[in-house]
Amino acid sequence: MHLPTRLAPLPPRATRAAKEKEKAEKAAKRKAAEDAQKKQQEGTDVSSNDYGDLPMIGSQEYKPSGVSRTTLAQISEKYNETTPIDEAGGVEVCFRAVVENARNQSAKLSFLVFREGLNTIQAVVAASDSLSRQMVKFAGSINAESVVLVHGLVKKTPEPVKSATISHLEIHIKKIYVVAKADSQLPMQVQDAERPLPLEGEEIKEEEGARPIVTLNTRLNNRVIDLRGKHNRAIFAIKDGVTALFQEFLRNQGFIGIQTPKLLGAPSEGGANVFEVGYFATKAFLAQSPQLYKQMLIAARFERVMEVGPVFRAENSNTARHLTEFTGLDLEMAFEEDYHEVVEVLENLMLYIFNGLKSKYKRETDLVRSIYHVDEFKLPEAGKVPRIPFAEGIQMLRDDGLEIGDYDDLSTPDEKRLGALVLKKYGSDFYVLDQFPLNIRPFYTMPSHTAPAHQTGAKDPNSGYSNSYDFFMRGQEILSGAQRIHDAEFLCKRMKEHASPVDPNSDGLRDYVNAFRYGCPPHAGGGIGLERIVMLWLGLPNVRLASLFPRDPNRVMP
């Protein structure tokens, strides 16, 4: 028979209290000893004034430091691989940068990598008689993405530093201060943003042991961190370059920059895909394009106009190539005898942009393409851009086995298929498709001279072709344009008989039609999607990657 084990009696309450008191006293003595040791160390810290967190800029009275500052780009340019550094011990510099990573190699040595724009450089903090271990520990413990002010010496490296873009130099830190501290735990890491996303419809393939792919949605939800990726900086440098080249070429051709309204009192292009907004006691609509205003300015004797501005499309298109707000590169110009005069200007414009990107933005292009592997963009010679009649394009698709009608609009897969055929036949990723069917173009499009629309009492005034064209990159449309109707009476006729008729006397169209009653020269133009150019030039899998803060049917934030 087993008797139950008797529990030891609880110690009296006074005994428990005494033990807790003794425990607390020991902890207090231990902390006091640690504080005393730390204070003693700080007292002997020869680098105590050479590192730490700076006060928030603006929180104290401004006192100029008098120290000249430089940048990583300037350092790299001044001290290239063949430039000797004559100063004994290295060249003193001061610069501000971002900590890409920091690590303590030992109690006496830490390594950091600094980033500024597309440039990175390795830095060393080594303990010595004049540099304390405390400073080494501080430097190696700085959170990634923190902004720091660095004083140091530039030295040549014995071997290239493969992990930095400035591989032939390194910084030996003498002072380092944190200007803006980053949180230790970020929603996502910058290096995650620099990994490729899958193409539309492609499954995510993760290598064993690799970090998981951060989805596009997560990246866009944390866009500020995402945009810190070097390839993202390159993408938007290229996007800015496209805009600059667009304006540069057209200004040299006599175009003037304009800014047209984006708030309209009534829908102007006959479509239902417009955004309605509250406007005081009434309502307004966001402009689908500057099209009608461009034409009104031609009638106002401006002759050649261009615009870079936002375009709004209320299309519920959740694809990798559509946005509800994008940047339009628009132009319109009067011509003398034939609309192909304008087509030629547009062809030369696009070649100017492409060649400008190749020569001025090679570094950025190569950086992005190293992540999104895409074939080199194949360009035709000036004056030899493939200009293919729509009917010929249809025949090329039929010869390739596709069943398609003479006047059918091309789907995205059809466009890509035709692009592959053009590349094979003409050796060009850039081409023009001319003379589109009239029934799939807007009401202001001039019918081809052979179209029934020019005949009185035509049985089907929307049949036949039109003086319209689209431009393509890698088999995807980037520009849509046409000769516009410049005669008021014929314009009214076409508006009424169009496949999607509109009222020329409606509030949104009356002033537009009247502009042509006062004498307007023949004119043509086009609208280019800026983000599409960037996407297709670089081989990006999604057009959202070419928009800083993209807007689509499911996203209006951040």
Side-chain angles (χ1 to χ4, degrees):
M1 179 175 181
H2 296 282
L3 296 174
T5 303
R6 297 183 63 185
L7 297 174
L10 292 172
R13 185 174 298 175
T15 304
R16 289 202 304 271
K19 287 187 176 180
E20 291 294 334
K21 181 180 179 182
E22 182 181 355
K23 187 178 179 181
E25 288 175 349
K26 286 182 179 179
K29 287 180 181 179
R30 187 164 56 249
K31 187 176 186 306
E34 290 173 354
D35 290 345
Q37 184 181 10
K38 184 178 180 181
K39 188 173 183 180
Q40 183 180 3
Q41 289 175 342
E42 289 175 350
T44 58
D45 185 354
V46 294
S47 304
S48 58
N49 295 321
D50 297 338
Y51 67 95
D53 296 337
L54 290 179
M56 183 172 62
I57 301 294
S59 65
Q60 297 183 358
E61 181 183 358
Y62 167 63
K63 295 180 181 179
S65 67
V67 178
S68 177
R69 298 190 186 185
T70 186
T71 66
L72 296 186
Q74 290 170 338
I75 291 171
S76 177
E77 183 178 359
K78 186 173 183 180
Y79 305 104
N80 58 45
E81 295 185 19
T82 59
T83 303
I85 294 179
D86 298 325
E87 291 87 339
V91 181
E92 290 192 13
V93 292
C94 175
F95 60 88
R96 191 174 70 189
V98 171
V99 175
E100 189 165 274
N101 61 65
R103 59 185 173 89
N104 290 308
Q105 184 76 5
S106 67
K108 294 184 177 182
L109 183 65
S110 290
F111 289 96
L112 299 90
V113 174
F114 297 127
R115 183 179 73 245
E116 176 202 76
L118 298 182
N119 298 295
T120 57
I121 194 169
Q122 179 176 274
V124 180
V125 190
S128 65
D129 291 341
S130 59
L131 197 153
S132 69
R133 292 190 180 192
Q134 294 95 315
M135 179 172 166
V136 173
K137 182 179 180 181
F138 173 84
S141 303
I142 297 174
N143 293 339
E145 293 304 305
S146 296
V147 181
V148 293
L149 179 64
V150 179
H151 298 254
L153 299 172
V154 177
K155 297 186 179 184
K156 291 285 183 78
T157 58
E159 294 182 0
V161 180
K162 296 180 180 179
S163 60
T165 62
I166 305 174
S167 59
H168 63 290
L169 301 172
E170 66 181 4
I171 305 295
H172 288 246
I173 296 175
K174 297 303 178 185
K175 300 178 183 180
I176 184 166
Y177 306 100
V178 175
V179 177
K181 187 176 182 179
D183 289 347
S184 58
Q185 295 295 324
L186 300 177
M188 59 176 282
Q189 300 301 314
V190 173
Q191 56 263 41
D192 289 334
E194 296 178 336
R195 299 170 66 203
L197 284 165
L199 295 169
E200 185 180 27
E202 184 180 76
E203 291 186 8
I204 296 177
K205 296 179 181 178
E206 297 180 8
E207 296 180 7
E208 187 175 348
R211 294 170 61 92
I213 297 291
V214 177
T215 65
L216 176 61
N217 200 46
T218 299
R219 297 185 191 196
L220 296 181
N221 287 341
N222 300 281
R223 190 62 162 154
V224 169
I225 297 176
D226 184 49
L227 287 171
R228 292 179 179 180
K230 290 187 285 293
H231 77 291
N232 272 327
R233 188 178 183 91
I235 287 171
F236 292 99
I238 289 168
K239 186 175 182 180
D240 178 59
V242 173
T243 302
L245 292 165
F246 171 84
Q247 295 175 320
E248 185 178 283
F249 176 86
L250 292 179
R251 283 200 177 96
N252 289 335
Q253 297 290 320
F255 284 74
I256 184 172
I258 58 171
Q259 298 80 37
T260 59
K262 302 304 172 231
L263 280 172
L264 309 180
S268 59
E269 295 192 41
N273 299 321
V274 293
F275 288 112
E276 182 180 317
V277 296
Y279 192 73
F280 301 106
T282 181
K283 60 185 177 183
F285 303 88
L286 296 181
Q288 291 174 282
S289 80
Q291 182 55 49
L292 306 191
Y293 290 100
K294 289 190 301 178
Q295 291 184 251
M296 291 167 75
L297 286 166
I298 299 298
R301 305 293 185 254
F302 276 61
E303 295 285 320
R304 296 187 171 200
V305 295
M306 63 175 174
E307 178 171 11
V308 178
V311 175
F312 302 93
R313 297 285 171 84
E315 297 172 350
N316 193 17
S317 298
N318 293 284
T319 76
R321 51 180 266 166
H322 286 94
L323 293 168
T324 53
E325 178 185 352
F326 62 90
T327 304
L329 306 179
D330 276 270
L331 64 92
E332 204 77 18
M333 63 174 280
F335 62 81
E336 297 294 332
E337 298 180 348
D338 181 72
Y339 77 97
H340 287 110
E341 298 168 27
V342 181
V343 174
E344 185 175 355
V345 170
L346 287 167
E347 290 172 349
N348 291 334
L349 164 65
M350 295 310 304
L351 291 177
Y352 185 84
I353 291 173
F354 296 144
N355 286 312
L357 292 178
K358 287 179 67 174
S359 62
K360 297 180 180 180
Y361 295 88
K362 184 181 186 304
R363 182 187 182 191
E364 290 83 354
T365 297
D366 289 346
L367 172 60
V368 180
R369 288 181 181 171
S370 71
I371 298 174
Y372 294 104
H373 304 288
V374 65
D375 293 336
E376 184 72 22
F377 192 82
K378 293 180 174 59
L379 285 173
E381 297 178 19
K384 295 184 178 180
V385 176
R387 194 185 295 174
I388 304 165
F390 187 87
E392 182 182 326
I394 292 294
Q395 189 58 51
M396 289 175 68
L397 288 170
R398 285 176 178 160
D399 292 344
D400 196 51
L402 180 68
E403 293 184 8
I404 187 170
D406 289 347
Y407 303 114
D408 288 352
D409 200 0
L410 298 180
S411 65
T412 299
D414 294 342
E415 289 180 353
K416 292 180 179 179
R417 191 169 179 175
L418 181 58
L421 295 173
V422 172
L423 176 61
K424 184 178 180 180
K425 182 176 181 179
Y426 296 98
S428 175
D429 278 312
F430 171 56
Y431 68 96
V432 179
L433 205 56
D434 192 20
Q435 287 281 306
F436 270 74
L438 182 61
N439 65 344
I440 60 174
R441 304 302 273 200
F443 63 80
Y444 45 74
T445 305
M446 180 65 77
S448 173
H449 70 279
T450 60
H454 288 292
Q455 302 168 9
T456 304
K459 185 176 181 180
D460 184 2
N462 292 306
S463 61
Y465 296 100
S466 64
N467 292 353
S468 62
Y469 40 84
D470 281 0
F471 284 34
F472 293 84
M473 290 176 65
R474 301 189 196 273
Q476 296 195 57
E477 177 221 325
I478 58 161
L479 178 153
S480 185
Q483 177 185 350
R484 328 297 187 178
I485 298 172
H486 58 280
D487 178 88
E489 297 308 317
F490 187 56
L491 177 60
C492 288
K493 173 180 177 292
R494 285 297 303 145
M495 293 168 84
K496 293 174 181 177
E497 68 187 17
H498 191 262
S500 299
V502 292
D503 182 2
N505 292 312
S506 63
D507 290 340
L509 295 169
R510 186 184 310 110
D511 293 327
Y512 164 73
V513 174
N514 285 339
F516 303 110
R517 300 188 188 281
Y518 318 131
C520 179
H523 57 280
I528 307 168
L530 174 57
E531 288 80 6
R532 287 262 184 98
I533 292 178
V534 176
M535 176 183 76
L536 296 168
W537 175 256
L538 295 173
L540 302 179
N542 197 300
V543 72
R544 288 158 185 78
L545 297 173
S547 175
L548 284 170
F549 299 96
R551 297 293 181 253
D552 61 34
N554 300 305
R555 180 176 291 278
V556 289
M557 294 179 71

